[in-house]
Amino acid sequence: MIKNLDDLQKMNQTGMDTAMKVFGDWNKNWQAIASEVNDYTKRSFEESTATFEKLLAAKSMDQAFEIQSSYAKRAYDEYMQQMTKIGSMYADLAKEAYRPMERIMQNTR
């Protein structure tokens, strides 16, 4: 329990320090997620533009079909890989957010 004013101030300062650390960690994690999404978007746009240029240069329908099929497979594979990575980043963000609460709950027992 709180014995005196100093204990109350220490408890408040600890809570404030924990909150600031959590906000800092959240900010870093959100920036990492935003950067990852931005990089994926840029790569995806460049890949689709290059594929469109290849399609314009195709000499036959078979070649155009092959270019489009290859692009669709690469785009799908990269999308699934990217969503897995971003999903993992969100899971890590949630774990980081829960850690201070977990410590608080352990200290109150």
Side-chain angles (χ1 to χ4, degrees), residues 1-14:
M1 273 316 235
I2 300 170
K3 296 177 184 169
N4 58 36
L5 186 59
D6 288 336
D7 288 344
L8 180 62
Q9 288 176 333
K10 286 179 187 177
M11 189 173 74
N12 285 338
Q13 184 62 43
T14 301

Side-chain angles (χ1 to χ4, degrees), residues 38-80:
N38 186 42
D39 291 345
Y40 169 72
T41 302
K42 188 185 301 184
R43 285 191 317 268
S44 179
F45 180 76
E46 290 169 356
E47 177 74 17
S48 64
T49 302
T51 300
F52 183 70
E53 290 172 358
K54 288 178 187 177
L55 282 172
L56 291 176
K59 303 288 185 207
S60 67
M61 287 301 289
D62 288 339
Q63 186 181 21
F65 181 75
E66 180 60 35
I67 291 168
Q68 181 62 29
S69 296
S70 176
Y71 168 73
K73 182 181 180 341
R74 283 191 320 273
Y76 175 77
D77 290 343
E78 186 168 339
Y79 175 79
M80 294 307 291

Side-chain angles (χ1 to χ4, degrees), residues 63-104:
Q63 186 181 21
F65 181 75
E66 180 60 35
I67 291 168
Q68 181 62 29
S69 296
S70 176
Y71 168 73
K73 182 181 180 341
R74 283 191 320 273
Y76 175 77
D77 290 343
E78 186 168 339
Y79 175 79
M80 294 307 291
Q81 181 181 19
Q82 194 66 34
M83 290 305 109
T84 300
K85 185 175 183 178
I86 291 173
S88 176
M89 292 173 84
Y90 274 115
D92 291 344
L93 177 68
K95 288 175 191 174
E96 287 292 323
Y98 181 71
R99 280 192 186 129
M101 296 304 293
E102 186 176 46
R103 283 188 218 117
I104 290 170

